[in-house]
Amino acid sequence: MKKLMIFAIALVFGLALFSGIGPLEQKAQAGKTTFVTIGTGGITGVYYPTGGAIARMVNKKRKEYGIRATVESTGGSVFNVNAIMSGDLEFGVVQSDRQYQAIQGIANWKDKGPQKDLRAMFSIHPETVDLIAAVDANINSLADLKGKRVNVGNVGSGYRKNAIDALVANGLDYDKDFHSESLKAAEAPGLIQDGRLDAAFYTVGHPSGYYKEATSGKRKVKFVPITNVGSLLEKYPYYAKAVTQVTQHYPGAANDADVPTFGVKATFVTSAKVPDEVVYAITKQVFDNFDEFKKLHPAYGGLTKENMLEGMSAPIHPGAMKYYKEVGLK
Ligand code: GLU
């Protein structure tokens, strides 16, 4: 009997080895589910549908991989990095500048030091740093923000620092020069429409629900060009010149031309502590079904497999790297 059992166990393992299936598939076949959560941003941003798109693609293969991915709306990039580092989230969408700062231990991570366990998987859509203002507030440049009520952003967001950098480059102090608010992005469009806010910053891909909401109300709203940022582009490797395609995406905005600004990229990150096979499965699901993924949001229009491997500054997770090597992307 004992011999028979040993034989049976050896046969099962042998079969598993022979069929080349990994620990995740073995777990899946044993009926075990690996639960993972993806941190995103406000529900009117692009991170939230991005997390949803990735989760949906991964959950389709639930039988094969045994992964059940869920999505959480969060305060944004800084919150996501910190929650991934503390183990509260497994994955997150994070601005490329925030990924850089976290791995270097600067900006929000100056006191905590480098977030050594942060791992990159891939980049996603481009994001622009934008300022919108109610037309009746007469704001045509950052200098006109003086004395106004302006949302600079919640502390857990990625965009707050982009706003502050743009203000500093224009010689403005958000503490002194205007009434600054630290609201979550999702709240700002409604407050502008209600007349309780004059202007707001946000860094997001396009089109976004946020700007659709902000530009389709009774109070006319426009995008304000963000200029004089040459010093930022020189100083910080993660910032690049950009143009916000206002006319194409937001016909309700009171602009008749696209608006110059600067931008970053959205990236998908995890922790070194998340097992290789889980990261491999998610990477494979997105890249093997790239054409399907691209169709899930209009902000992904310019994506190529190659440019999804640009803009990462944390080490690439070995699970993702295994996939990239297999398909010749690395
Ligand atoms: N870039 C924003 C942030 O990290 C979030 C944008 C979005 O949710 O699409 O604060």
Side-chain angles (χ1 to χ4, degrees), residues 40-42 45-48 75-77 95 125 127 157-159 202-205:
T40 61
V46 179
Y47 288 6
Y48 188 69
S77 294
Q95 287 179 202
H125 56 277
E127 301 187 88
S157 75
Y159 71 94
Y202 193 29
T203 303
V204 71

Side-chain angles (χ1 to χ4, degrees), residues 98 108 129 142 151-155 157-175 178 180-182 201 203 229 232 236 239 262:
R98 298 318 211 148
N108 287 58
V129 181
L142 265 62
N151 187 32
V152 179
N154 57 302
V155 173
S157 75
Y159 71 94
R160 182 179 173 89
K161 173 93 168 78
N162 307 138
I164 294 172
D165 284 348
L167 291 163
V168 169
N170 279 273
L172 292 164
D173 182 338
Y174 74 95
D175 257 346
F178 51 82
S180 71
E181 298 288 352
S182 305
F201 285 95
T203 303
V229 289
L232 294 182
Y236 301 119
Y239 283 150
F262 65 108

